[in-house]
Amino acid sequence: MNYSDFFKMIPEASLIAVLIILFVADFVSANKEVRKWFNPLASVLMLANTIVCLLSMDAQTAFGGMYVTSYAVNVMKAILSFGTFIVVLQSRVWAVKSEKEGEFYMLIVSTLLGMMMMMSSGNFLMFFLGLEMASVPLACAVAFDKYRNNSAEAAAKFIITATFSSGVMLYGISFIYAAYGTFYFDDIAAKLQATPLTVMGLVFFFSGLGFKISLVPFHFWTADTYQGAPTTVTGYLSVISKGAAAFTLLSILFNVFGRMIEQWQVLMMIVIALSITIANLFAVRQGELKRFMAFSSISQAGYIMLAALGGNWTVSVSSLSYYVLIYIVANMSVFTIISVVEQNNGGKTNISDYDGFYKTNPRLSFLMTLAMFSLGGIPPFAGMFSKFFVFMAAVKGADITTTHGAWIYAVLFVALINTVVSLYYYLKIVKAMYINHCDKPLPAFKSDSNTKFALAICTTGIVLFGVCSCIYTWIAGA
């Protein structure tokens, strides 16, 4: 083994260092009742890891091709690390109340480490190890409030679904191995042909990863898990793990199954149209805010995967990464406010609890409104630009005079109609806060400094990331 290969895994090595520091800090201060410095330490470490990711943009190959990274992969790692920094920052109050602050941060960082390994895999074995490294600690995080029935039920459903989806995915990978006798992406891509065996392998692999991204019809676990998990974990689940899985799926489809693009794009078109439409229909009916955000995230997953319909890898991966960045700031803003309200409202998270919210909490109402506008794609907020770029990526190279191109435009039309529908249910939250009458609105809350800082970062991103063209330029690597 060439031990110098470890030095090529700088983002992962940095995360391992973060884990060790958190473990030692938690261990030596376990008996202290007050640890005001612990959350700032975790936040600073995650911010430092983000900077390390930003400084490690060179393409690297290690361990005989098992580990492969590129500019696009490193950009995505930096985006996910930035999102995790926001999660750690806004989780302080809840984590301290749980009395397991150290364990929570270590679970989150462990999950991120697995996701980075998954995104940098150049081999199906490495990919699967990374996926499981991410899934196991994530299941523990979902079950963090294990004495609360909802949390235990959510974790049980998450684990059962994750186990089933992993089995389905392994089944698909075994077909690919049976066809070509190798797990290496480059070797498979060089030999790939659209035979019945490889098509079946592709379908099973796609189905397994579809569960992780919550694409319809693989979405059944999402609403119950989102509702039952602690709100901070739900926020993490909805943006970080979903972003990593979507990026990995896009990468493998283009770089491994590139020669079968016509087959998997048909599959993708069906799944995208179903995800956006069905999720929107269910979101309209929801009265519980976390379930509402669960269906919103299924719909957003459909929009994210629109980037895969284009035939240009650079444009597709850039638009997907940009969408995930915008989605992180908008969604984390919503979940941060839900968490604050939940902690000051006896754990209630119904939409009706927000009736007349602006009377007592005008600032939080305003920030929630901006986040909802961005999620709905209302200009000039960043969500509109992220949708625009995935739409443009989808039509890149598509010829409407051909049957395949016409179907791509048809899917975009469905997505466009659903964007209008989504405005209705996102504005339902805004209506509840500003228009619905309530004799006893929620009392005024005072957020802690960490929450205010997290909301400030998210709101800045919602307002500026769309109009600052340098952000997209940097992601595209131009």
Side-chain angles (χ1 to χ4, degrees), residues 228-269:
T231 301
T232 299
V233 177
T234 307
Y236 183 84
L237 197 62
S238 69
V239 289
I240 310 298
S241 71
K242 187 160 291 188
F247 180 89
T248 306
L249 176 61
L250 184 81
S251 175
I252 291 178
L253 288 179
F254 268 93
N255 298 322
V256 181
F257 295 103
R259 291 187 179 182
M260 295 170 62
I261 189 168
E262 292 186 3
Q263 283 82 7
W264 60 255
Q265 281 201 337
V266 171
L267 197 63
M268 190 65 81
M269 281 189 269

Side-chain angles (χ1 to χ4, degrees), residues 276-285 292 299 303 375-376 387 413-428:
I276 296 175
T277 305
I278 293 178
N280 275 358
L281 293 176
F282 277 90
V284 169
R285 303 174 54 191
F292 167 84
S299 175
Y303 283 105
L375 288 173
K387 281 188 170 58
F413 181 72
V414 172
L416 201 60
I417 295 296
N418 276 284
T419 302
V420 179
V421 175
S422 71
L423 292 178
Y424 168 75
Y425 61 75
Y426 285 126
L427 293 179
K428 269 178 62 179

Side-chain angles (χ1 to χ4, degrees), residues 46 49-51 53-54 57 71-87 112 115-116 119 236 239-240 243-244 247 317-329 332 465 471-472 474-476:
M46 283 312 304
N49 182 72
T50 304
I51 295 171
C53 291
L54 291 173
M57 289 295 172
Y71 181 87
V73 174
N74 289 329
V75 165
M76 194 63 183
K77 286 178 181 176
I79 290 173
L80 296 183
S81 183
F82 169 70
T84 307
F85 160 68
I86 296 175
V87 172
L112 184 62
M115 291 175 192
M116 286 189 177
M119 289 191 294
Y236 183 84
V239 289
I240 310 298
F247 180 89
V317 74
S318 303
S319 59
L320 184 144
S321 301
Y322 182 75
Y323 197 105
V324 171
L325 174 63
I326 303 303
Y327 188 46
I328 284 174
V329 291
M332 283 314 303
F465 281 178
I471 302 289
Y472 185 81
W474 168 69
I475 290 174

Side-chain angles (χ1 to χ4, degrees), residues 149-169:
N149 287 339
N150 283 349
S151 187
E153 181 186 342
K157 289 180 178 176
F158 182 82
I159 291 169
I160 291 170
T161 310
T163 305
F164 178 72
S165 63
S166 295
V168 171
M169 189 184 302

